[in-house]
Amino acid sequence: MPHARIFPSIGRQFAAWVLALLASVLLAVPAIAQDSTPAPRAPLFGSDRIAVALYAEGQPVAGEEWLLALHFIPSAPEWHGYWSNPGDAGEGMRLSLDLPPDWQVGEARYPVPKRLVLSGLMNHIYEGPYTILVPVVPGPSAAGFAGPVTGTVDYLACSDICVPQHADLTARTGGDFARWRAAIAPPLDAKARFAIKGETLRIAIPLPASMALSDPHVFVANQRLVAHAAPQTFRRVGDVLVAAIPLDDFGTGKADALEGILAFGDGIGVRFAADLGAVPSGGEPLAGPQDAPSPALWTLILGALAGGLLLNIMPCVFPILSLKAIALARAGESEAKARAEGLAYTAGVVLACLGLGALLLALRAGGEQIGWAFQLQEPGVVVALLVLAAAITANFAGLFELPAISVRVGGERMGAFATGLLAAFVATPCTGPFMAAALGAALLLPVPQALLLFACLGFGLALPFLLLGFVPPLRRMLPKPGAWMERFRRIMAIPMALTALALLWLTVQLGGRPFGLIALVLVIGVVMGLFVTGRLQRAGKLAWPAFGLVAAPFLAFALIGLPSVFEAPSARARESILAAQPFSREALAEARASGQPVFLYFTADWCVTCKVNEAAAIERETTRAAFDQAGVTVLVGDWTARDEAITAFLTEQGAAGVPLYLWYAPNAAAPEQLPQVLTPDLLAEKASGNR
């Protein structure tokens, strides 16, 4: 029968097909162990810069963690790959695995990355071969899984240029899983806490105080949250490490949870997860801007003392020298009185510095972004100082007598304590030489040590007057008291009047012209009241109630009018022959990315030291010519009014106030901080050295 011949033929073909199927199944058995290497699909970009191979550790078992490893091997040392958060540039890995739907793929586990700063941009990279582990938990279908695991991965290889890479993956057995697992940053066994205040992310990471940290750095996994290239500050609070990291100016500014890696240095670190919570303040500083070692406390104390002492000759203190000069002359009348006034004056200065320091620390602990001299950024405080300067001018000019600061021969003992309070309040806004490190550290130290530094600053400021009170030979060098003191007092009304004019100008800068006009009306009313008071004093009549009657209407007018006309100052470009642009982090990053040197300085209209430096060293034709020839970009931060972005940046640089001068050499990882007192040719020499 024809059918008999056909069916045996079909049977033989079927048998051959079955045998072939059995053979393929037998060949597939090793493939379950991931040894098979089928022909890859055509790659999109190739992987010739950094090759990658996928490995599997053993056999998959349902419900048990199974590790896959992506082993990357650069073709040459100059090629590097990226962490999950690449930083300011680059791209992380994108992995796709072909797995049954009931299998779960966990978060990839990475080694501790390295930092690479190029043109002011921070990259989180891996150099040389590196391995990323991917945990997988197989589902019930693992029992019948025939393998192999396949997938694709897209990543970036960079050197001088960046090249997209793509690889088709097929898992294989083998690989050095013990070494790869040891290279992965281990998880911290306790939850960390974090808080965002102002422009800063603060993280409290549980870490034994005995653990040494040679070069700490936090790699934050959250995208668009922190400024990666900004300096990070670290402090110890018992067994907690507190890290402070500036936020990204163009980021989200918020997070519900936080993940990252804390690097200890030398490629060692731990990965952590953090929830929102309380982060302790204070603590012992470990590392700060540019990871510089923190100065010893005794050096900070000496710096605060020297800084306070030098404030006596700094230009910004000249407005109060009149008070101190008259007080020093009066100190020669008797030894007991000189000592008493020396102690009272010192107490006033130290108390004022402690009060300002304590208020500064309290406000910063509450999340306020403020720095040293914050009082002169408050329009109300400046108006009060304006009225006070006008009153002192009237007193020196002889319009009235105020026993607290009177220096009349034979009159009441001078109120040295009040003079000390006023001297410190007016003088301390200037951050002179030696003070910068001490006050910058005070913002990071525990409260008792910080207050000690503020007290030492006040003691240094008061030291000359205190020495005159207790060292008779020094007092004998002073002129003898006499009628000349009354003439000297009237002459000293001139610098105090100039101080009042400067404060009036600052009032306009802070609140606008209408604000300044009303403040001037208030001053006129107060001076009129003092004039009437002086007339009554000379007639031997009760004087101060009359002052209240005259000044009260002006005061009421000011209390109503000043808030209603106040105009907050807006960012403005300062007039400069250097074509300086207003500071912002974006402008700084753009300027540094150009590959040219950058000069960044911070100033304020109330900082006399800043103004002297600008006249003597910055706004000079020789500086402009040198900058033009070297292609220097100039940025200026105006801190006259409160500016949280500038305050945060100053804190990152370890500065408590202005002036601050930074020089960024091309492609430098960190700026060079220039002296606070600039010599005329310093900037021109810096520019010439970069050509």
Side-chain angles (χ1 to χ4, degrees):
M1 298 276 297
H3 295 290
R5 290 193 295 271
I6 294 174
F7 282 109
S9 175
I10 294 176
R12 286 194 297 270
Q13 293 176 10
F14 180 80
W17 183 83
V18 171
L19 289 174
L21 179 61
L22 290 174
S24 66
V25 171
L26 290 174
L27 290 173
V29 172
I32 297 177
Q34 316 305 322
D35 283 333
S36 176
T37 309
R41 288 167 282 180
L44 298 177
F45 301 107
S47 57
D48 54 331
R49 270 71 174 186
I50 301 181
V52 60
L54 180 64
Y55 292 87
E57 186 181 34
Q59 299 287 339
V61 177
E64 297 183 7
E65 184 178 87
W66 186 45
L67 282 182
L68 300 176
L70 290 155
H71 185 54
F72 295 86
I73 305 176
S75 61
E78 63 264 21
W79 295 104
H80 61 257
Y82 289 93
W83 186 48
S84 59
N85 183 348
D88 294 321
E91 186 176 16
M93 173 188 73
R94 297 194 304 273
L95 175 65
S96 176
L97 295 174
D98 302 323
L99 294 172
D102 60 339
W103 292 30
Q104 296 181 354
V105 180
E107 292 289 334
R109 299 169 186 170
Y110 290 81
V112 178
K114 296 181 179 180
R115 289 169 278 170
L116 175 64
V117 179
L118 295 173
S119 300
L121 301 178
M122 171 80 76
N123 298 326
H124 306 149
I125 68 164
Y126 297 107
E127 296 176 324
Y130 63 98
T131 304
I132 300 171
L133 299 183
V134 180
V136 176
V137 178
S141 63
F145 181 70
V149 172
T150 60
T152 61
V153 62
D154 295 277
Y155 52 104
L156 204 59
C158 289
S159 60
D160 294 334
I161 61 172
C162 287
V163 181
Q165 303 282 275
H166 173 90
D168 292 292
L169 304 171
T170 300
R172 64 188 72 174
T173 57
D176 194 349
F177 272 87
R179 180 169 60 87
W180 296 341
R181 188 181 283 105
I184 298 298
L188 198 62
D189 58 1
K191 276 272 191 178
R193 303 183 304 278
F194 76 96
I196 296 176
K197 287 188 176 181
E199 300 296 324
T200 304
L201 167 69
R202 301 178 68 245
I203 315 172
I205 305 174
L207 204 68
S210 58
M211 182 172 290
L213 300 175
S214 62
D215 184 24
H217 186 84
V218 174
F219 295 93
V220 176
N222 300 52
Q223 303 279 349
R224 298 179 62 243
L225 180 61
V226 300
H228 302 293
Q232 300 181 356
T233 301
F234 294 88
R235 289 172 291 150
R236 287 275 196 192
V237 183
D239 288 329
V240 175
L241 179 70
V242 177
I245 310 172
L247 296 179
D248 183 351
D249 286 342
F250 306 98
T252 60
K254 56 186 177 181
D256 297 324
L258 190 75
E259 292 183 350
I261 291 178
L262 168 63
F264 304 149
D266 300 325
I268 303 172
V270 295
R271 68 181 188 270
F272 66 88
D275 295 329
L276 280 168
V279 177
S281 58
E284 177 187 358
L286 293 181
Q290 294 84 55
D291 295 329
S294 300
L297 181 60
W298 69 269
T299 62
L300 296 174
I301 290 175
L302 290 179
L305 284 170
L309 185 63
L310 286 178
L311 278 179
N312 288 278
I313 60 173
M314 289 290 289
C316 54
V317 187
F318 181 76
I320 64 160
L321 288 182
S322 54
L323 291 176
K324 296 177 69 174
I326 297 175
L328 294 178
R330 284 282 299 174
E333 291 186 350
S334 71
E335 185 171 342
K337 184 174 292 187
R339 290 182 177 180
E341 291 191 355
L343 289 174
Y345 177 81
T346 301
V349 172
V350 172
L351 183 61
C353 289
L354 280 174
L356 288 172
L359 181 59
L360 172 62
L361 295 175
L363 292 175
R364 288 181 67 90
E368 295 288 336
Q369 288 291 335
I370 59 173
W372 192 242
F374 66 95
Q375 66 270 26
L376 290 185
Q377 296 174 325
E378 297 296 333
V381 174
V382 174
V383 171
L385 283 174
L386 169 62
V387 172
L388 181 60
I392 295 174
T393 301
N395 176 259
F396 280 15
L399 265 65
F400 76 104
E401 296 300 329
L402 183 65
I405 58 174
S406 174
V407 292
R408 271 189 179 279
V409 178
E412 296 292 334
R413 181 172 66 88
M414 179 178 138
F417 179 80
T419 305
L421 288 174
L422 179 62
F425 191 75
V426 176
T428 50
C430 241
T431 306
F434 303 108
M435 285 175 57
L439 295 183
L443 301 182
L444 303 175
L445 287 172
V447 172
Q449 297 179 24
L451 291 178
L452 174 62
L453 293 181
F454 289 121
C456 290
L457 172 67
F459 185 77
L461 177 61
L463 187 58
F465 193 88
L466 187 65
L467 290 175
L468 283 169
F470 282 82
V471 181
L474 292 178
R475 291 200 308 276
R476 287 195 289 269
M477 297 172 62
L478 296 175
K480 296 296 182 182
W484 69 270
M485 295 181 65
E486 185 66 21
R487 293 192 298 272
F488 182 75
R489 182 182 73 161
R490 295 182 184 278
I491 293 173
M492 286 298 101
I494 297 174
M496 288 309 302
L498 294 176
T499 301
L501 288 176
L503 287 169
L504 179 61
W505 175 79
L506 180 58
T507 302
V508 174
Q509 299 300 108
L510 290 173
R513 290 185 178 180
F515 188 84
L517 180 61
I518 293 180
L520 178 60
V521 171
L522 172 62
V523 169
I524 293 173
V526 169
V527 172
M528 288 175 55
L530 293 174
F531 175 76
V532 172
T533 300
R535 293 286 297 268
L536 293 175
Q537 286 176 332
R538 285 187 288 273
K541 299 179 180 179
L542 187 62
W544 290 107
F547 169 78
L549 291 174
V550 174
F554 292 91
L555 179 61
F557 172 71
L559 290 175
I560 297 173
L562 287 174
S564 62
V565 300
F566 174 74
E567 297 177 3
S570 57
R572 53 190 170 94
R574 304 179 69 90
E575 294 183 4
S576 171
I577 64 173
L578 302 182
Q581 300 299 315
F583 162 79
S584 69
R585 291 184 187 270
E586 181 184 27
L588 177 59
E590 182 179 347
R592 296 190 64 190
S594 68
Q596 298 296 315
V598 178
F599 174 57
L600 169 62
Y601 70 99
F602 294 90
T603 182
D605 290 336
W606 39 260
C607 175
V608 181
T609 305
C610 304
K611 297 304 178 185
V612 171
N613 282 332
E614 288 163 25
I618 298 176
E619 300 294 334
R620 301 185 69 212
E621 284 297 331
T622 54
T623 303
R624 183 194 60 77
F627 277 20
D628 288 346
Q629 189 171 357
V632 179
T633 301
V634 181
L635 300 176
V636 56
D638 186 349
W639 207 45
T640 302
R642 185 184 298 188
D643 188 311
E644 292 190 355
I646 291 179
T647 306
F649 190 87
L650 291 173
T651 302
E652 293 165 18
Q653 302 300 321
V658 293
L660 176 66
Y661 305 106
L662 300 176
W663 182 269
Y664 292 85
N667 300 320
E672 175 188 357
Q673 192 168 130
L674 303 181
Q676 288 191 315
V677 177
L678 300 178
T679 58
D681 297 324
L682 176 62
L683 295 177
E685 291 171 357
K686 293 296 297 182
S688 300
N690 280 273
R691 291 203 296 269

